[in-house]
Amino acid sequence: MGMRRAATIGLILVAGVALAGCTGEPSGSATASPSESSSSMPTKTPDGAEADEALLPMPVEEIPEWAQKAVPGSDSPGYVFGFSGWMSENSTADDVTSFTSLKPGTYQAQFACRGEGTIELTVSELDEGSPSEPIACTNETIAFDVTNSRTGVRFELALEGAPTINAVSLVTVP
């Protein structure tokens, strides 16, 4: 692996799950710890966001429970980090979440989304250099490797289309 490729993403498994009513979510992301942060674009319109929320495949308060089952959660062996939420054009169509204390190494990531929209996930190191190829998720769960050569990792999500929920988690590779 060349020095220019700071974060390598290799798609190793694609498992389509067409059930919008599935449940599961990673844990630990409801409150950000000092080692993780999340930022997103400002809300466009509160009224539009409320209308978008009604179009989600489940109520917002059920997303954390769904995420624990959709991707490995905090009680899973090797769990390192995870987050979940929802995106829409009128709330947050772009989001960045960083795990600033992730030690260099190789991890398995799982990315789940449910809804009619498509969320593209790009992974990079904190300096945003050498990002992965975008991984497009449309009503499915995708597993892939994340390798970082420096401390920290950055997840950038971008939504196209209808309101959609998402969950991401990282586990150590045995």
Side-chain angles (χ1 to χ4, degrees):
M1 185 166 96
M3 297 283 286
R4 304 184 87 184
R5 186 80 174 156
T8 302
I9 307 301
L11 190 62
I12 61 171
L13 169 71
V14 176
V17 179
L19 301 174
C22 271
T23 57
E25 201 285 329
S27 75
S29 64
T31 59
S33 72
S35 64
E36 57 188 85
S37 64
S38 179
S39 64
S40 47
M41 296 288 212
T43 299
K44 294 179 183 174
T45 62
D47 292 338
E50 287 178 18
D52 289 350
E53 187 176 334
L55 299 173
L56 293 171
M58 70 184 59
V60 170
E61 59 273 3
E62 293 178 15
I63 294 172
E65 182 182 337
W66 163 79
Q68 284 287 342
K69 296 173 186 158
V71 297
S74 60
D75 57 351
S76 298
Y79 176 83
V80 176
F81 171 72
F83 63 94
S84 66
W86 66 281
M87 302 176 79
S88 77
E89 292 297 325
N90 290 307
S91 64
T92 303
D94 298 290
D95 184 64
V96 175
T97 299
S98 297
F99 183 30
T100 58
S101 62
L102 182 69
K103 294 180 182 175
T106 299
Y107 303 88
Q108 183 187 63
Q110 288 199 26
F111 177 31
C113 65
R114 302 293 183 273
E116 299 304 315
T118 297
I119 299 176
E120 281 196 353
L121 170 68
T122 305
V123 182
S124 65
E125 291 192 345
L126 295 178
D127 63 6
E128 302 178 33
S130 302
S132 68
E133 290 295 319
I135 298 168
C137 181
T138 305
N139 219 11
E140 61 190 319
T141 300
I142 302 168
F144 55 95
D145 285 343
V146 172
T147 300
N148 62 318
S149 59
R150 295 185 302 255
T151 300
V153 68
R154 178 181 190 267
F155 298 90
E156 184 174 344
L157 295 102
L159 171 74
E160 272 192 36
T164 301
I165 63 173
N166 64 81
V168 176
S169 74
L170 282 179
V171 295
T172 57
V173 175

